[in-house]
Amino acid sequence: MTTHRRNVLYATFGGALWACAPAGGASPPGPSAEAQARFADASADPVEPIAPDLTLDPRKVALGERLFGDPALSGDDAVACSTCHFAARGMGDGVARSHGPNRKETRYNSPTLFNVAQNYKFNWTGKFESLEEQLNAPMTNPAVMGAKWEDVIAKLQKNAGYRRDFEALYLRQGITQATITDALVSYERSLSTPDARFDRYLRGDESALTADEKAGYELFRTHGCVSCHQGANLGGNMLERFGAVRDYFDAGAVPEADLGHFNDTKREEDRFVFRVPSLRNVALTAPYFHDGSATTLEMAVDVMANYQLGRPLTSEQTRLLVGFLGTLTGSYGGKPL
Amino acid sequence: MNPTPLRASWVAASLAFVVVLATSWRTLVETAVEDRYGRDLRRTQALHAELDEYVMKCRTGLATSYDPFEQTLTELKRLHRLSEHTPRLLTSEGRAEVSARRAEYGTALADKRRLIDDFKRENSVLRNSLRFFPVAARELADKLAAEPGGSELAGRLHDLLGEVLVYNLLPDKEFRPHVEGAIAAMETAAASPAGQADRDELGILLTHARAIVEHKPRVDDLMEGILHLPVAERAREMDAAYSRRYGAAIDTAATRRLVLSLLAMAILGFGAADIILRLRRTAEALRAATAEAERANTALRLEKDKEKELGEMKSRFVSMTSHEFRTPLTKILQSCELLEAYIERMTPERKAEHFSRIRNHVIEMKQQLEGILVIGRAEAGVLEYDPAPCDVAAFCNDVVETVAQGGGPVRIEPSIQVDWNGARMDKRLLGHILTNLLSNAVKYSPNGGRVEFEARREGDEAIFVVSDEGIGIPADDQPRLFDTFQRASNVGGISGTGLGLAIVKKSVERCHGSLTLDSRPGEGTRFLVRIPC
């Protein structure tokens, strides 16, 4: 930390002193290459490796996984949680917006559930602050599970296996909204994908990344992506306006869904504000954005550079960044994804 | 001490104990929970300090990851949720006050939560531009300086860079118009043909300069807002309210504990005293009952003894009468049979002898029956006492004469005072006394000897002394000698009813006189009688 502080002080005060120096000379004094490198170093490790949650009860996780794949949790027994969140598509479903049988299209793209335990805001607008709070929304949303809790509980009660498991794990509570939620959330918390090549690099394995990927990471930091995509999940811990530097939406005519967090708070400053999603396993979770409008990672990266950073990328820079993002794919259940 | 108030005391103390315990039960057992509550409150304050510090770090770029915000806020949210259950140890007003403070704190916490979200949003944009702008500006300035006619623009860019950086460092907002002016001037300058080639690049640069100008005050305001949000103050107030109420509750709990222990001691003390008193009372009752039983037992034994004595007396009476009456009756029968068989051949002397014998025995029996009647009357308390003028000397002589008629080897030597002028006595009772004493003296002197009889007057008293030289009375028999049917153990074959001395005693007592006995076995007996006259 002391190194960072010194670097930052040097960068800021150094910059200020340099700015105050007499200008207009043939060769005005500027920051040396070394100073520039330090400036970049000011935010040297904004990302941390992730580690699985070892405090989870494996029996609850197993029960949650069973519930996760059980269509009995939907109102019409037609879809399960796993219909829109499966490992092959990075715990999303690979389409712009999900469209289940006899249902309207969902409002937003199905987000990945991998590493969701490391996020601090949930769903696209960041409406919820805990997984337990969030779970009720898809369960009761007619476009998603379309279920009523009492029906779900009644259905599960008929199953001797569930009855036994719930009684074994939750004693007298048995099958309730709270215990179903707890089991499902336990499973969600277990969906950790450690051991990405980038994690290995962060832990000191220089050979884990290629030179291009390292250059991509350097670009990721210096170009400003890391301003929002930071923390263990490279995102997931803040809200940001889509179009931070340049307007992304046509303010005159946007669908309600694009208003983002404004729909939750009705505060003007929350207009077009969305949760910054995690970039872990991002190579697996196309299409991108809340509306699935970016079909490839290159498209998504370019949109971000233009509207969030206000700095268009060259195709080479885009390639390097996409290359770096590919190193964020971890492994699940001991197998690389 | 009466045990009733004692019992009331310990029962009352027990009731009070139960009541105090029931009302203060919750206040006595939750110390561990209270500690946790207080700890959580202090941890809350510490976490807010950390949050504030972290906000400043993020503002200056010392920290770039927002995870610590969320981790801390998640923990604060958890602590706030936990604090919903105010300790039951507190009074209801105390809990209400802590809850009110908690609600205020909760509002402030939600404000902070929102401000931090906004701060992150604005700060990310600001940091992005701050990271990019100086480097890009420097690069472009260098590039422009190398171009012909671009040095002025490069200089302006330098100026702008300096102004933007200073603007970023200055806390006040007065500098903003100046920077905005510089940006506008830059735009104007860029519109000149000289800068045409780098217009796009310059445009991006100016966008970021504007972003800095626009977001910097927002970030600073948000940071100020966060730092000046009274959330830590609310947490402190909540802590203060809780600590004060907790202290009071602890005092109350301590007082109640004291009251409870005093009550417990009172229960034990009064209870023990009550039990001891009860035991003592029971023991006393037992002792009284035992004594009562003892008394009843004694009375019963006495009754039994009396009954036994009565029985013995009856049997003595029966044996006496059977013996004392059979002998004269047998003799009377003999004389009658003899007279019947031989009356014609008998000489007149012999006849007279038999008749005399019959008459004597009848008289004897009559006297014995009279004695029994007298005793009966005396014991029934109806013995008459009727003193009258009396010639005692003559009366005594008559008695002596009558007794002497009985014959025997005894010489009666009377010494009778002649002058009894004015004496009043009951002759019947006197007769009983003297006749019995004299006849006894004669009867119990089987070997002869003298019988002295003295009658004299001393003032208002008549004194009669009868002494003999007979068999005497053993000392063991003397105390009961005057009882009915009681005879001395050395009477041998001398017949007697055992009534004589009893009659004497009753008669003397009836005359308000006194009787003294002085006797030694084998030497003789002396009776002294004093009777008022």
Side-chain angles (χ1 to χ4, degrees), chain B residues 178-218:
Chain B
H178 187 68
V179 181
E180 278 172 340
I183 292 169
M186 192 74 197
E187 257 179 336
T188 317
S192 67
Q196 197 72 25
D198 305 301
R199 185 174 286 175
D200 286 351
E201 225 170 314
L202 193 61
I204 291 171
L205 207 58
L206 292 180
T207 306
H208 282 279
R210 277 198 208 92
I212 292 171
V213 168
E214 190 185 337
H215 287 273
K216 183 255 173 189
R218 285 196 208 157

Side-chain angles (χ1 to χ4, degrees), chain A:
Chain A
M1 222 20 144
T2 35
T3 320
H4 295 167
R5 182 176 290 129
R6 205 170 50 237
N7 289 345
V8 163
L9 286 175
Y10 187 80
T12 46
F13 287 103
L17 286 170
W18 163 73
C20 293
S27 175
S32 61
E34 188 194 349
Q36 283 193 44
R38 279 193 183 141
F39 193 38
D41 272 341
S43 47
D45 48 355
V47 187
E48 296 151 34
I50 50 164
D53 186 348
L54 299 176
T55 63
L56 294 170
D57 181 345
R59 293 176 303 163
K60 288 185 182 174
V61 171
L63 177 61
E65 184 169 14
R66 216 170 123 202
L67 291 167
F68 196 80
D70 194 336
L73 265 64
S74 65
D76 54 2
D77 292 348
V79 296
C81 307
S82 58
T83 308
C84 298
H85 301 279
F86 47 95
R89 286 283 179 272
M91 234 41 195
D93 60 359
V95 296
R97 288 193 282 167
S98 309
H99 199 163
N102 307 315
R103 281 162 169 75
K104 285 196 288 187
E105 199 171 44
T106 55
R107 184 177 239 195
Y108 296 119
N109 174 262
S110 293
T112 176
L113 292 186
F114 275 136
N115 306 306
V116 75
Q118 304 280 334
N119 288 352
Y120 296 95
K121 293 274 182 188
F122 302 96
N123 97 8
W124 275 104
T125 61
K127 188 176 182 181
F128 303 104
E129 290 191 16
S130 77
L131 285 169
E132 285 84 353
E133 286 170 44
Q134 184 271 340
L135 192 78
N136 185 53
M139 280 295 284
T140 52
N141 184 345
V144 187
M145 301 298 277
K148 285 196 183 104
W149 280 105
E150 54 266 34
D151 295 345
V152 172
I153 292 165
K155 277 189 266 182
L156 297 185
Q157 287 283 11
K158 287 191 191 122
N159 184 317
Y162 278 128
R163 273 207 312 276
R164 191 190 57 234
D165 288 354
F166 272 98
E167 270 162 36
L169 289 171
Y170 297 102
L171 305 174
R172 258 177 253 153
Q173 281 181 272
I175 303 176
T176 65
Q177 180 178 343
T179 57
I180 293 170
T181 301
D182 186 71
L184 281 169
V185 168
S186 293
Y187 173 63
E188 288 177 334
R189 288 193 207 286
S190 79
L191 293 170
S192 160
T193 65
D195 211 25
R197 284 197 288 126
F198 180 61
D199 288 332
R200 270 181 269 156
Y201 171 77
L202 285 177
R203 289 200 176 93
D205 182 0
E206 288 286 332
S207 67
L209 301 189
T210 65
D212 275 2
E213 285 161 351
K214 284 179 197 167
Y217 177 46
E218 187 63 17
L219 205 54
F220 184 78
R221 282 193 298 163
T222 57
H223 220 70
C225 313
V226 82
S227 299
C228 294
H229 294 282
Q230 31 63 46
N233 259 1
L234 299 96
N237 59 7
M238 64 174 289
L239 309 180
E240 186 55 83
R241 172 196 285 262
F242 200 161
V245 178
R246 187 179 299 169
D247 286 343
Y248 176 73
F249 297 106
D250 174 6
V254 291
E256 194 194 0
D258 288 345
L259 298 178
H261 199 45
F262 177 82
N263 290 328
D264 303 329
T265 65
K266 307 295 176 203
R267 292 198 313 161
E268 197 50 49
E269 53 264 53
D270 288 330
R271 191 178 287 272
F272 308 130
V273 166
F274 290 88
R275 180 177 65 98
V276 174
S278 163
L279 294 183
R280 289 200 173 265
N281 306 303
V282 70
L284 304 178
T285 59
Y288 302 99
F289 304 148
H290 63 285
D291 51 2
S293 58
T295 52
T296 66
L297 200 47
E298 284 79 4
M299 276 176 74
V301 168
D302 283 337
V303 168
M304 284 290 114
N306 279 320
Y307 293 95
Q308 299 305 106
L309 304 179
R311 302 160 69 179
L313 297 166
T314 63
S315 59
E316 173 61 6
Q317 285 173 321
T318 305
R319 187 184 69 79
L320 289 173
L321 274 174
V322 169
F324 162 68
L325 293 176
T327 70
L328 295 174
T329 304
S331 57
Y332 175 63
K335 285 177 215 153
L337 289 163

Side-chain angles (χ1 to χ4, degrees), chain B residues 352-371:
Chain B
E353 190 187 329
H354 279 295
F355 282 122
S356 164
R357 218 164 77 182
I358 289 167
R359 188 178 59 245
N360 285 342
H361 283 303
V362 169
I363 289 167
E364 190 186 331
M365 282 178 67
K366 185 177 166 238
Q367 281 173 346
Q368 283 172 347
L369 280 171
E370 245 169 44

Side-chain angles (χ1 to χ4, degrees), chain B residues 241-526:
Chain B
Y242 164 74
S243 297
R244 198 175 61 247
R245 297 292 186 170
Y246 180 60
I250 288 290
D251 285 351
T252 312
T255 312
R256 291 197 174 163
R257 279 208 177 91
L258 186 67
V259 167
L260 276 179
S261 40
L262 287 176
L263 282 175
M265 280 161 67
I267 293 168
L268 289 175
F270 286 130
D274 185 28
I275 288 167
I276 289 168
L277 270 183
R278 256 158 221 284
L279 286 175
R280 193 175 282 172
R281 227 167 48 138
T282 311
E284 265 168 24
L286 200 64
R287 262 203 302 283
T290 312
E292 184 64 29
E294 195 79 15
R295 269 200 298 282
N297 211 11
T298 311
L300 202 62
R301 206 166 51 237
L302 287 174
E303 193 86 359
K304 232 174 178 177
D305 287 353
K306 212 169 166 187
E307 211 168 90
K308 195 175 157 197
E309 206 180 329
L310 211 62
E312 275 170 9
M313 201 173 77
K314 263 182 195 160
S315 67
R316 283 202 306 274
F317 175 75
V318 169
S319 75
M320 182 275 291
T321 46
S322 61
H323 182 258
E324 296 300 318
F325 285 140
R326 206 165 54 200
T327 311
L329 281 172
T330 308
K331 289 189 173 159
I332 290 166
L333 194 59
Q334 271 177 355
S335 293
C336 283
E337 280 170 353
L338 284 171
L339 281 172
E340 230 174 12
Y342 304 109
I343 191 157
E344 288 168 5
R345 284 183 281 168
M346 271 187 189
T347 61
E349 291 81 26
R350 286 288 287 173
K351 283 181 195 170
E353 190 187 329
H354 279 295
F355 282 122
S356 164
R357 218 164 77 182
I358 289 167
R359 188 178 59 245
N360 285 342
H361 283 303
V362 169
I363 289 167
E364 190 186 331
M365 282 178 67
K366 185 177 166 238
Q367 281 173 346
Q368 283 172 347
L369 280 171
E370 245 169 44
I372 288 169
L373 283 174
V374 170
I375 276 298
R377 278 222 294 282
E379 288 192 338
V382 292
L383 197 59
E384 284 169 19
Y385 173 58
D386 186 18
C390 165
D391 183 354
V392 178
F395 183 79
C396 288
N397 283 327
D398 283 352
V399 172
V400 171
E401 201 176 322
T402 310
V403 173
Q405 272 177 10
V410 180
R411 281 192 324 277
I412 299 175
E413 292 178 1
S415 162
I416 299 166
Q417 190 175 331
V418 180
D419 178 22
W420 290 86
N421 201 16
R424 292 171 62 89
M425 302 198 73
D426 185 317
K427 274 203 261 186
R428 268 161 52 92
L429 292 179
L430 189 61
H432 291 317
I433 294 164
L434 298 181
T435 308
N436 276 302
L437 286 178
L438 276 171
S439 57
N440 272 359
V442 169
K443 192 160 66 174
Y444 296 106
S445 301
N447 299 324
R450 287 187 304 159
V451 169
E452 288 177 12
F453 173 57
E454 188 189 351
R456 68 170 192 274
R457 195 175 181 183
E458 269 184 21
D460 289 344
E461 280 185 335
I463 296 176
F464 304 96
V465 181
V466 177
S467 58
D468 61 50
E469 297 168 345
I471 57 172
I473 303 163
D476 289 346
D477 294 333
Q478 287 183 13
R480 305 184 65 198
L481 201 60
F482 299 99
D483 288 359
T484 321
F485 304 118
Q486 202 70 47
R487 299 184 72 200
S489 53
N490 60 342
V491 294
I494 302 166
S495 72
T497 56
L499 285 172
L501 286 177
I503 291 168
V504 170
K505 179 113 194 289
K506 301 280 182 198
S507 302
V508 170
E509 283 172 357
R510 193 67 185 89
C511 298
H512 311 294
S514 68
L515 177 65
T516 316
L517 166 65
D518 179 18
S519 176
R520 265 181 225 110
E523 290 180 20
T525 304
R526 181 173 182 271

Side-chain angles (χ1 to χ4, degrees), chain A residues 133, chain B residues 74 76-85 102:
Chain A
E133 286 170 44
Chain B
T74 303
L76 281 169
K77 199 173 156 189
R78 190 183 72 84
L79 291 174
H80 184 242
R81 204 169 48 238
L82 280 179
S83 72
E84 185 184 348
H85 302 288
R102 180 182 174 272

